[in-house]
């Protein structure tokens, strides 16, 4: 049973989260460096709840972050895509990539496909990326996507973290594509 679409890029498959993703998701969530700007490392039980939250967003909202699968190997690379929990500062396309896949350009490649999908199928008029001011790698991804800092926000409880809100309008995105 598929809860949402499957998108493909040159090197990636983006599909809704499923139970088969758990082992790789748990390893990613436990990695101190990969999870540094995503609320910190999580034990397996918390990673399970986070993964189920993402899968459940597809049922409740009709969208959620996609699991990212590397076409060449079939391996789970991370999760990225549309995300808008209650009281979130906007319509976000976010990303989190497992550390062993950093530096391959998977975040901007997958995020670009997710942004296209969010604008074309969800009707969003703006896409944002909530980025910790110290997260230089994600700032680089946002720049590659053509985003810039729009404003600052504090994420809702229980996160309560101050972030830079990067992003762009649908018109800006379409003009650069």
């Amino acid at each position: 049973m598929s809860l949402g679409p499957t998108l493909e890029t040159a090197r990636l498959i983006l599909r809704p989260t499923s139970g088969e993703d758990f082992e790789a998701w748990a390893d990613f969530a436990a990695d101190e460096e990969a999870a540094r700007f995503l609320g910190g490392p999580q034990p397996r039980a918390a990673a399970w709840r986070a993964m189920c939250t993402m899968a459940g967003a597809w049922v409740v909202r009709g969208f959620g972050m996609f699991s990212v699968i590397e076409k060449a190997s079939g391996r789970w690379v991370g999760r990225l895509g549309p995300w808008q929990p209650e009281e979130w500062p906007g319509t976000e396309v976010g990303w989190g990539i497992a550390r062993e896949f950093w530096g391959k350009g998977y975040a901007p490649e997958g995020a670009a496909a997710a942004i296209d999908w969010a604008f074309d199928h969800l009707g969003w008029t703006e896409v944002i990326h909530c980025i910790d001011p110290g997260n230089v790698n994600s700032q680089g991804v946002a720049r590659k996507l053509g985003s810039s800092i729009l404003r600052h926000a504090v994420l809702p409880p229980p996160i309560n973290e101050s972030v830079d809100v990067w992003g762009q309008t649908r018109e800006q995105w379409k003009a650069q594509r």
Side-chain angles (χ1 to χ4, degrees):
M1 173 176 126
S2 179
L3 298 173
T6 297
L7 309 179
E8 289 195 34
T9 70
R11 301 177 297 159
L12 305 172
I13 297 169
L14 307 169
R15 61 158 173 74
T17 302
S18 69
E20 69 190 82
D21 302 331
F22 180 62
E23 289 303 324
W25 186 297
D27 290 345
F28 164 73
D31 182 312
E32 194 168 319
E33 188 62 23
R36 178 176 172 201
F37 297 110
L38 301 173
Q42 296 179 331
R44 284 177 65 84
W48 173 258
R49 289 189 296 276
M51 186 188 81
C52 289
T53 295
M54 199 61 69
W58 283 97
V59 175
V60 174
R61 302 290 309 256
F63 63 88
M65 287 196 185
F66 296 94
S67 276
V68 182
I69 310 301
E70 186 180 51
K71 280 184 181 179
S73 68
R75 294 177 61 208
W76 188 91
V77 167
R79 86 294 183 277
L80 59 74
W83 185 236
Q84 191 185 20
E86 186 66 18
E87 298 180 22
W88 211 246
T91 47
E92 179 167 25
V93 167
W95 49 82
I97 303 295
R99 189 166 19 151
E100 67 187 284
F101 297 101
W102 287 5
K104 295 184 178 203
Y106 287 165
E109 181 178 330
I115 291 170
D116 280 338
W117 186 79
F119 283 142
D120 295 343
H121 296 279
L122 299 177
W124 289 3
T125 58
E126 177 183 67
V127 161
I128 66 163
H129 323 293
C130 297
I131 301 176
D132 184 288
N135 190 342
V136 176
N137 290 342
S138 278
Q139 292 168 15
V141 172
R143 281 189 193 94
K144 285 178 185 173
L145 294 168
S147 293
S148 59
I149 296 176
L150 304 176
R151 54 191 176 272
H152 303 281
V154 175
L155 297 179
I159 303 169
N160 299 317
E161 298 283 335
S162 180
V163 295
D164 292 330
V165 178
W166 293 67
Q168 60 191 296
T169 65
R170 176 180 18 222
E171 291 73 25
Q172 291 168 321
W173 177 255
K174 297 292 184 186
Q176 72 173 346
R177 297 292 279 172

